[in-house]
Amino acid sequence: MFKKSLQNLRAYNPGPSVEEIKKMYGLSRVVKLDSNENVYGASPNVRKAITMDALLPELYPDCQDLDLRLELSRRLGPAPQQFLFGTGLDEIIVLISRAFLEPGNSIVMAWPTFYEYYCHAQIEGADTRKVPCRPDGKHDWKAMLQAIDETTKVVWICNPNNPTGTYLTKKELDQFIDSVPSNVLVVLDEAYIDFVTAEDFPNGLDYLNDYENVLVLRTFSKAYGLASFRIGYAIGSLTVINELDKVRPPFNNPRLSQVAALTALKDDSFKENCLRKNQEVMAMTTAFLKKKGIRYDESQANFIFIRVNEPKQIALICKQNGFLINPFEDGVRVTLGKMEDMKHFLKRLESAIDGTSALVSSKKE
Ligand SMILES: *Cc1c(COP(=O)(O)O)cnc(C)c1O
């Protein structure tokens, strides 16, 4: 009955809710450090704007996100027609996969990176080439170039990378993009670009004039704290945007989401405040990890990838103690919480690491 490609996929499993976890472990508070949401919330102006809105529940929303589109164009530079909006960046990933991929095609992506690139390529029946990240968590861009062949339609670069927080420098990305054949789409997922402080970080928009095959992705879910409103967008050449727009469901951004995003976009001081706090917590966190000799990847985002043995076990212990984090094969991804939460968390993490390594060595004996 179903597409063959669904056989090996699992539906997204959000796990038990915060309320359920509180009950399960008898906790009065649970700190969510597992989804890279903005721990400082959203601009207070958003709440005002959506309550003041005319609402008009019976009408379809603006199919073009016109006000938001014009404001983004004004702030970022590309023409209004170069933008495409999705119900979160997640939907943009679906649209790209739908527009470009079919059986016989392939994508090239890093591993680990954002899972949805893999999932939707699989659904379209395309071959998924996962190129392992280097030991320091960075995309192995030279190996990724090698993995491209005549079947390749899309190459995914997550910059900074989720879950490692590492990035390709401008020099590396220049070389990479220049070496990719012009009939292969290079997607630069910049979901975390607002958090970046590195001077040699490349702005994806700078490639749009010279490369029709580059597409830049951004979202309101992370730095703007609007994950619940589901707005992300792509910026690219008219050739690419116009094809993607054929696949897009016409009214995919609710009216209130458009109002929320436009309001958040205009509140520069809220965002700058979040970024500053994020930097302070990052400095405290890396100093702690260094002092304790716990390995981590250098991150430019609002999360950090901490290399531990037994990531699942560590995440479970943290959960039992009221901290939700995300386990991967070689480590755990931790959203940078507020300063006090993060200090508590790091102590918990340290004892969880000590506990599990004692357990592992006693098993070996
Ligand atoms: C969170 C995230 C997304 C999806 O963001 P939404 O706009 O909430 O759908 C896409 N890519 C990366 C790398 C992310 O971390």
Side-chain angles (χ1 to χ4, degrees):
M1 246 164 92
F2 302 103
K3 273 182 160 181
K4 262 214 202 75
S5 57
L6 298 190
Q7 274 172 6
N8 298 321
L9 294 173
R10 273 173 295 130
Y12 181 75
N13 176 7
S17 70
V18 165
E19 285 313 309
E20 285 169 309
I21 290 169
K22 279 188 195 165
K23 267 192 215 137
M24 273 162 76
Y25 302 111
L27 300 162
S28 55
R29 181 162 178 250
V30 166
V31 182
K32 263 182 105 321
L33 304 177
D34 61 340
S35 300
N36 302 343
E37 292 144 332
N38 191 328
V39 295
Y40 308 105
S43 162
N45 300 345
V46 168
R47 188 178 293 272
K48 260 179 268 162
I50 59 179
T51 41
M52 298 296 285
D53 187 73
L55 211 57
L56 306 174
E58 72 284 12
L59 299 184
Y60 282 107
D62 175 5
C63 160
Q64 297 297 331
D65 298 55
L66 195 60
D67 294 339
L68 181 59
R69 179 184 294 268
L70 293 176
E71 182 66 17
L72 279 169
S73 165
R74 205 175 63 71
R75 285 171 174 256
L76 300 179
Q81 311 87 287
Q82 289 182 267
F83 289 79
L84 180 98
F85 294 89
T87 314
L89 206 45
D90 282 343
E91 189 187 41
I92 300 280
I93 296 167
V94 175
L95 300 181
I96 294 167
S97 308
R98 244 193 126 185
F100 282 83
L101 305 177
E102 55 197 347
N105 296 165
S106 68
I107 66 158
V108 171
M109 62 187 280
W111 194 257
T113 191
F114 197 57
Y115 178 76
E116 302 297 308
Y117 315 149
Y118 169 83
C119 175
H120 292 287
Q122 285 281 313
I123 292 171
E124 302 303 335
D127 185 22
T128 45
R129 304 197 175 146
K130 297 179 188 164
V131 179
C133 286
R134 300 178 351 183
D136 61 1
K138 276 182 69 162
H139 280 38
D140 189 342
W141 60 275
K142 287 183 183 160
M144 291 178 76
L145 279 178
Q146 298 285 317
I148 296 173
D149 66 17
E150 58 288 345
T151 70
T152 306
K153 295 284 175 186
V154 182
V155 185
W156 295 89
I157 299 285
C158 190
N159 214 31
N161 188 34
N162 178 0
T164 57
T166 53
Y167 70 102
L168 292 186
T169 63
K170 178 170 184 321
K171 207 169 141 210
E172 291 166 331
L173 195 60
D174 283 356
Q175 266 195 63
F176 179 81
I177 289 178
D178 206 50
S179 312
V180 174
S182 60
N183 60 351
V184 175
L185 183 73
V186 180
V187 185
L188 304 175
D189 183 340
E190 298 182 338
Y192 299 96
I193 191 166
D194 297 289
F195 296 102
V196 170
T197 55
E199 303 266 328
D200 57 353
F201 188 91
N203 183 340
L205 300 179
D206 293 342
Y207 297 100
L208 297 184
N209 283 336
D210 295 330
Y211 300 92
E212 275 216 322
N213 60 325
V214 170
L215 189 68
V216 175
L217 309 189
R218 305 222 173 143
T219 176
F220 283 95
S221 295
K222 309 285 161 57
Y224 291 96
L226 296 183
S228 154
F229 282 100
R230 315 303 305 126
I231 294 203
Y233 55 99
I235 318 166
S237 62
L238 294 185
T239 323
V240 171
I241 293 292
N242 291 343
E243 290 306 296
L244 290 175
D245 205 19
K246 295 179 185 171
V247 182
R248 179 181 70 96
F251 303 104
N252 55 343
N253 288 128
R255 178 185 174 85
L256 282 186
S257 300
Q258 297 183 32
V259 171
L262 181 60
T263 310
L265 183 62
K266 289 177 174 170
D267 191 347
D268 293 309
S269 72
F270 176 82
K271 195 176 77 171
E272 276 155 25
N273 208 4
C274 293
L275 303 188
R276 190 178 46 75
K277 286 189 243 175
N278 187 65
Q279 282 163 33
E280 288 165 7
V281 176
M282 180 68 88
M284 184 280 292
T285 302
T286 52
F288 178 95
L289 296 172
K290 256 193 208 121
K291 194 168 102 197
K292 303 292 178 181
I294 301 168
R295 287 173 55 225
Y296 62 90
D297 293 355
E298 290 295 341
S299 172
Q300 287 287 317
N302 66 336
F303 57 84
I304 188 162
F305 192 78
I306 303 174
R307 301 212 169 235
V308 295
N309 299 320
E310 317 279 329
K312 277 210 179 110
Q313 186 63 20
I314 300 268
L316 178 65
I317 296 171
C318 292
K319 180 159 76 179
Q320 290 164 342
N321 287 286
F323 294 98
L324 301 186
I325 60 172
N326 216 308
F328 286 79
E329 241 164 77
D330 303 316
V332 289
R333 190 196 67 198
V334 180
T335 305
L336 297 183
K338 291 182 177 162
M339 188 62 92
E340 287 312 305
D341 287 340
M342 203 60 190
K343 284 182 179 166
H344 288 140
F345 165 74
L346 287 169
K347 288 201 193 104
R348 280 291 171 205
L349 177 75
E350 187 190 8
S351 54
I353 291 173
D354 291 347
T356 48
S357 51
L359 209 67
V360 172
S361 50
S362 73
K363 262 191 222 154
K364 273 184 198 151
E365 277 162 15

